[in-house]
Amino acid sequence: MTTETTLPSTSVSPTARQVWTRARGVVLAAVILLAAAVVIAVIRSGAEHGRLDPRAADTDGSRAVAELLEDRGVSTRLVTTLDEASAAADPDTTLLIAVPDLLTDSQQSRLHEATEASGGRTVLVAPGPPSVSALAPGVTADAALSLDSTLTPRCELPAARRAGSADTGGLRYHVTARAADTCYPEDGLPTLVRVPAATGDGDTVVLGAPDILLNSSLDEQGNASLALQLLGSRPHVVWYLPSLADDSAPDSGNRSFFELLPSGWFWGTLQLFVAGALAALWRARRLGPLVPEKLPVAIRASETIEGRARLYRKANARDRAAAALRSTTRTRLAPLVGVPVSRAHTPEALLPALSAHLHGDGQPLHALLFGPPPSDDKALIALTDQLDALEREVRRS
């Protein structure tokens, strides 16, 4: 019978009650968050349609602009597919593209072909590098955003001069197109650009920020005047909200998951990573030497030895167990035979002293104290008995 079978077993696995006690706070918080999300979703699922939606009456919607245009005899029609937007391009229509950066490369090319010679007006709301060059050739987005939201026109465009200061600060643009009107500059770069069409009376207007179209800021500065003049130059406004469900994007399936994520997610994830790294450094720092503390529960040495022995046996680590037994025995024998503890693990120092003390030849001692690990559990138990016998003999001699 082995030593393990004679020792009482002690379970260290947490019970179901202990698991629930530890996890109930997290579960309760998750339930509260889920319930709050459901309630908010139900409350907000009424008249709100989304950002820059002409049907939305919330702060980020554009219903106020649509109603003001309707009062002036300008109709507003919402479309969500490229086919509808392309078919609506004509001299009597202002085509507003609410989120140009959602369009794929093929959609941008098709839309530019439809609007280039239509004779109507195309308004791009805050187009970035992915779309502005394709939809408004001769215009590129600057990497730095405008620091000011409210800017003055500083151009000869009649609509801008009549509106005065407006909240156009956002994306800034470099313009190489000929005869383009550049308005509301910040540090020399405009935030509103009007590019005349190469042929006909059409043009393309690039807005650096959507603020003049939002319900929350329409009554500030000259935002309403500028919005009505830019959108009300034709009898009809077609409001194009690009949709990811539009089947006119044949190359959308080739875009990776990270390409479909908005750029804000990347920066948000990076900030969370930096915050986590700083928190780890803060929690890991040491303000001084370690201070020993009393254990809340006294653990007997025999229990510690038993636990370590069980771990060794579970891992079949007979080599480690034998090394620990031999090392401890050598450390205890060295002072008994006049060898410094620092040299207790050196055969050249310990074995001659033991041989002289026991009047032996030292060969069995070398195999016992510095030999190879045992091949099985039976040999390990025999090694333990031999080490105990050697230590008792040294102490009696």
Side-chain angles (χ1 to χ4, degrees):
M1 181 178 296
T2 62
T3 304
E4 181 179 0
T5 58
T6 63
L7 295 174
S9 60
T10 303
S11 175
V12 295
S13 300
T15 63
R17 183 183 182 87
Q18 291 173 331
V19 172
W20 166 246
T21 303
R22 297 172 184 174
R24 61 186 178 185
V26 177
V27 174
L28 180 61
V31 171
I32 294 175
L33 288 176
L34 182 60
V38 172
V39 172
I40 293 174
V42 171
I43 294 176
R44 295 174 62 90
S45 62
E48 297 184 2
H49 297 279
R51 182 176 174 83
L52 287 175
D53 193 313
R55 303 166 297 179
D58 56 303
T59 56
D60 288 338
S62 300
R63 182 175 175 179
V65 174
E67 292 186 351
L68 289 177
L69 289 172
E70 190 71 26
D71 293 340
R72 286 159 177 76
V74 179
S75 64
T76 301
R77 179 166 64 95
L78 176 67
V79 299
T80 57
T81 66
L82 179 64
D83 293 336
E84 292 175 310
S86 300
D90 61 51
D92 293 334
T93 300
T94 297
L95 177 61
L96 183 143
I97 306 174
V99 192
D101 289 349
L102 286 182
L103 299 175
T104 64
D105 294 341
S106 62
Q107 287 178 315
Q108 295 171 15
S109 300
R110 286 183 54 190
L111 193 58
H112 179 63
E113 292 175 0
T115 59
E116 184 177 16
S118 66
R121 168 169 287 181
T122 303
V123 178
L124 308 175
V125 181
S131 62
V132 64
S133 298
L135 296 174
V139 181
T140 56
D142 187 68
L145 299 178
S146 171
L147 298 178
D148 296 325
S149 174
T150 304
L151 302 172
T152 55
R154 298 182 187 177
C155 67
E156 299 301 324
L157 184 65
R161 292 179 64 85
R162 286 192 291 266
S165 299
D167 293 324
T168 61
L171 287 168
R172 306 184 305 171
Y173 300 98
H174 297 275
V175 182
T176 58
R178 295 183 179 180
D181 293 304
T182 56
C183 302
Y184 297 97
E186 203 267 346
D187 284 344
L189 295 178
T191 58
L192 185 148
V193 181
R194 189 190 76 90
V195 182
T199 58
D201 297 330
D203 58 11
T204 299
V205 176
V206 179
L207 276 175
D211 297 42
I212 67 171
L213 304 175
L214 301 179
N215 296 331
S216 59
S217 54
L218 187 64
D219 60 344
E220 299 175 359
Q221 312 301 329
N223 295 345
S225 174
L226 183 60
L228 293 177
Q229 292 182 80
L230 294 179
L231 300 182
S233 62
R234 269 77 172 172
H236 309 288
V237 173
V238 174
W239 203 291
Y240 178 28
L241 280 175
S243 172
L244 293 176
D246 190 356
D247 57 5
S248 65
D251 59 342
S252 61
N254 297 328
R255 301 177 70 182
S256 67
F257 171 77
F258 295 101
E259 291 175 337
L260 293 175
L261 288 177
S263 59
W265 283 80
F266 170 77
W267 295 111
T269 304
L270 181 61
Q271 291 177 9
L272 288 177
F273 176 79
V274 173
L278 293 177
L281 291 175
W282 166 58
R283 297 297 298 176
R285 66 180 181 175
R286 292 290 183 264
L287 301 179
L290 295 177
V291 178
E293 296 182 1
K294 293 183 178 180
L295 292 176
V297 178
I299 302 176
R300 292 180 297 177
S302 59
E303 294 183 4
T304 304
I305 296 174
E306 176 187 345
R308 189 168 182 177
R310 288 177 181 273
L311 291 175
Y312 279 148
R313 178 165 187 179
K314 186 175 182 180
N316 289 326
R318 286 183 292 271
D319 55 344
R320 292 177 176 269
L325 291 171
R326 284 168 167 160
S327 176
T328 304
T329 302
R330 293 194 299 263
T331 302
R332 290 199 294 259
L333 290 177
L336 298 177
V337 296
V339 176
V341 176
S342 60
R343 304 195 62 192
H345 308 293
T346 305
E348 294 78 4
L350 180 63
L351 294 180
L354 280 173
S355 299
H357 197 80
L358 298 175
H359 307 289
D361 56 3
Q363 292 299 326
L365 296 177
H366 186 282
L368 180 60
L369 295 174
F370 297 96
S375 58
D376 52 27
D377 290 346
K378 184 178 181 180
L380 179 61
I381 295 175
L383 174 64
T384 305
D385 294 338
Q386 293 171 7
L387 292 174
D388 287 340
L390 174 63
E391 185 173 351
R392 286 195 300 271
E393 184 178 356
V394 172
R395 291 183 181 279
R396 287 197 303 266
S397 60

